[in-house]
Amino acid sequence: MSHSDQRTPLQSRASGPLTGSVRVPGDKSISHRALILGALSVGETRISGLLEGEDVLNTAKSMRALGAQVERTGDFAWVVRGVGVAGFAQPKAPLDFGNSGTGCRLVMGAVAGCPIAAVFDGDASLRSRPMRRILDPLEKMGAKVTAGGEGGRLPLTLQGARDPLPLTYKTPVASAQIKSAVLLAGLAAPGTTTVIETEASRDHTELMLKHFGADITSTVEGQHGRRITLSGQGELHGAEVVVPADPSSAAFPIVAALIVGGSDLVLSDVMTNPLRTGLFTTLREMGAFIEESEVRGDAGEPMARLRVRASKLRGVEVPPERAPSMIDEYLVLAVAASFAEGTTVMRGLHELRVKESDRLEATADMLRVNGVKVEIAGDDLIVEGRGHVPGGGLVATHMDHRIAMSALVMGCASDQPVKVDDTAFIATSFPDFIPMMRSLGAEFS
């Protein structure tokens, strides 16, 4: 597997002000999609700013294994020469996605529309995560799971459809991964494939499909939903993609700067797609100073320069409909809520139970061992902030990079140091997190 078996524990202690200017890594969601759509296109796709963490590199390897030419041409610069829609070749070995649920599930969708069989595998964490919600619509389109674990768990063999069927599918939950898998399979199907969402999920796949030349539309459905319609069997064309800085990665230095007194940070080119910035909205409601400037865009994705200053935070209620726009950021939001004055209630967090770990329980455990009063009520997380965090706890990361990074951020301002049992998995999405935070003034040892 792609990760190291060697544990790398780390301790974070209160520091002086965090200051400086940084660009966090390229967005992981955009990086995965640029590689996959480049591989399904005719011609050459040039990508700059690609996230070079293990998750994305495993997607690059899988695209090579499926017949595309994928080459690194410089720092964060890659070229993909594609095979066209439904052009994937039979891979000679299992596709190993390491820790990446996004890469695995999106590639399942792309393979489902090709007349080939592929074995999907990953590390122990990915093997434990359910895939049935992705596989159900793909099987309706003609793909078949011919071998696999209980509940569609990895390793599994997916036989793509020789003649994929178009589908109208209403997603059971707001999930960009389910939607994207159906749309990627639908590229090879005749006629129209439609995905209906009652709660809009991240729209990166729709925006990038349009950038690569797909005939795709998105319209409002109900109060919070979307109806996405794709015309299949069209040709995609190679494109230039500038990957914006990842708002999920930016969340960690942003929260650290808000809770460490005197901090003043600048982060460049951060994606500001409204379906990804629920955390920024919530932090501003809590009283955070987060200022946007130099707004621009690429491949349909807006980005901006953010300036963040230490702020006095207050507890708020976060509505459930905001969850899709910040599902990966609740862990570090819980850290911010711990340092706020008053109670923060985060509602509708069921999706956190099916991530790299049960993130809802793991987040509560992270807070409890560091002296924060926290409660789980159904799918709601309730954090009682007292303006400071005692710290002194040892956090179990459960092979989850976001738990590790959130705990280290907590230690930057806690009364006593916070220890993390393992930081090896941070490399899956944010390889330079520890040196970057140290460069800003964080004290990790």
Side-chain angles (χ1 to χ4, degrees):
M1 296 300 169
S2 57
H3 67 275
S4 169
D5 293 328
Q6 186 68 41
R7 281 182 176 265
T8 53
L10 200 64
Q11 176 176 273
S12 173
R13 66 178 67 247
S15 70
L18 304 180
T19 58
S21 298
V22 293
R23 189 189 197 276
V24 299
D27 183 77
K28 183 160 43 168
S29 297
I30 302 300
S31 296
H32 283 304
R33 288 161 173 80
L35 290 167
I36 294 166
L37 289 180
L40 289 171
S41 295
V42 173
E44 186 174 274
T45 292
R46 292 191 171 272
I47 307 168
S48 59
L50 189 89
L51 171 64
E52 294 179 345
E54 288 177 14
D55 285 4
V56 173
L57 296 181
N58 283 328
T59 294
K61 289 175 188 173
S62 74
M63 293 302 98
R64 286 194 195 103
L66 291 163
Q69 296 179 42
V70 183
E71 178 187 358
R72 186 178 189 267
T73 57
D75 289 347
F76 317 112
W78 293 66
V79 172
V80 182
R81 295 175 182 87
V83 296
V85 170
F88 282 161
Q90 180 100 10
K92 296 176 181 176
L95 305 176
D96 182 358
F97 291 90
N99 193 241
S100 177
T102 300
C104 181
R105 290 167 176 148
L106 267 58
V107 175
M108 282 180 176
V111 165
C114 302
I116 63 169
V119 178
F120 289 77
D121 205 354
D123 66 12
S125 171
L126 191 58
R127 284 184 172 193
S128 72
R129 292 156 68 183
M131 299 290 167
R132 182 41 59 190
R133 289 192 311 199
I134 300 292
L135 297 170
D136 285 345
L138 298 182
E139 289 182 333
K140 287 182 170 67
M141 301 176 82
K144 292 181 182 177
V145 177
T146 59
E150 184 181 354
R153 284 174 168 78
L154 306 185
L156 66 79
T157 303
L158 184 66
Q159 173 66 56
R162 185 163 298 279
D163 296 301
L165 303 170
L167 180 67
T168 296
Y169 189 71
K170 188 172 185 177
T171 57
V173 294
S175 169
Q177 294 178 359
I178 298 173
K179 171 177 64 178
S180 299
V182 172
L183 293 173
L184 290 170
L187 286 169
T192 299
T193 292
T194 301
V195 178
I196 301 167
E197 300 182 299
T198 53
E199 293 281 345
S201 66
R202 299 174 178 183
D203 61 354
H204 305 313
T205 298
E206 300 95 296
L207 293 172
M208 195 170 288
L209 277 167
K210 187 169 287 189
H211 186 62
F212 278 81
D215 183 359
I216 185 168
T217 60
S218 178
T219 56
V220 173
E221 180 84 6
Q223 190 172 359
H224 302 292
R226 306 292 293 178
R227 175 183 288 263
I228 302 99
T229 303
L230 172 74
S231 297
Q233 297 188 336
E235 199 170 79
L236 302 182
H237 299 278
E240 300 276 337
V241 179
V242 176
V243 179
D246 182 5
S248 296
S249 294
F252 299 100
I254 285 173
V255 170
L258 291 173
I259 64 176
V260 176
S263 297
D264 192 342
L265 286 189
V266 172
L267 299 97
S268 59
D269 298 336
V270 178
M271 180 197 288
T272 53
N273 182 317
L275 291 172
R276 287 290 298 283
T277 54
L279 176 71
F280 303 162
T281 299
T282 303
L283 290 172
R284 287 181 175 121
E285 289 173 357
M286 296 173 77
F289 179 95
I290 303 173
E291 181 182 71
E292 287 185 20
S293 62
E294 299 177 18
V295 179
R296 60 193 184 92
D298 184 86
E301 297 288 354
M303 60 187 87
R305 174 185 184 269
L306 301 183
R307 185 178 184 185
V308 186
R309 291 177 176 170
S311 304
K312 186 174 182 179
L313 304 178
R314 58 184 175 271
V316 296
E317 180 159 328
V318 189
E321 58 268 20
R322 196 173 291 169
S325 69
M326 57 181 293
I327 197 64
D328 288 327
E329 286 79 70
Y330 280 106
L331 289 80
V332 76
L333 174 61
V335 172
S338 302
F339 286 91
E341 292 284 355
T343 301
T344 295
V345 182
M346 300 167 234
R347 300 201 180 278
L349 308 189
H350 172 72
E351 280 298 292
L352 289 186
R353 296 191 184 276
V354 292
K355 290 286 186 176
E356 282 81 340
S357 61
D358 182 339
R359 282 184 172 163
L360 193 53
E361 289 289 350
T363 301
D365 289 345
M366 172 183 70
L367 301 185
R368 285 190 192 107
V369 298
N370 285 289
V372 178
K373 191 172 181 182
V374 59
E375 177 187 351
I376 297 173
D379 292 328
D380 300 342
L381 185 68
I382 304 165
V383 179
E384 292 193 19
R386 292 181 291 174
H388 74 101
V389 169
L394 173 63
V395 175
T397 56
H398 306 285
M399 302 192 299
D400 191 324
H401 51 290
R402 295 195 191 280
I403 296 171
M405 289 187 283
S406 297
L408 291 171
V409 167
M410 176 180 280
C412 290
S414 57
D415 300 344
Q416 298 295 322
V418 172
K419 296 177 182 177
V420 174
D421 70 348
D422 192 6
T423 58
F425 287 87
I426 291 174
T428 64
S429 67
F430 200 159
D432 295 326
F433 170 74
I434 292 169
M436 185 206 74
M437 290 297 293
R438 283 175 171 152
S439 76
L440 296 173
E443 295 194 13
F444 296 166
S445 60

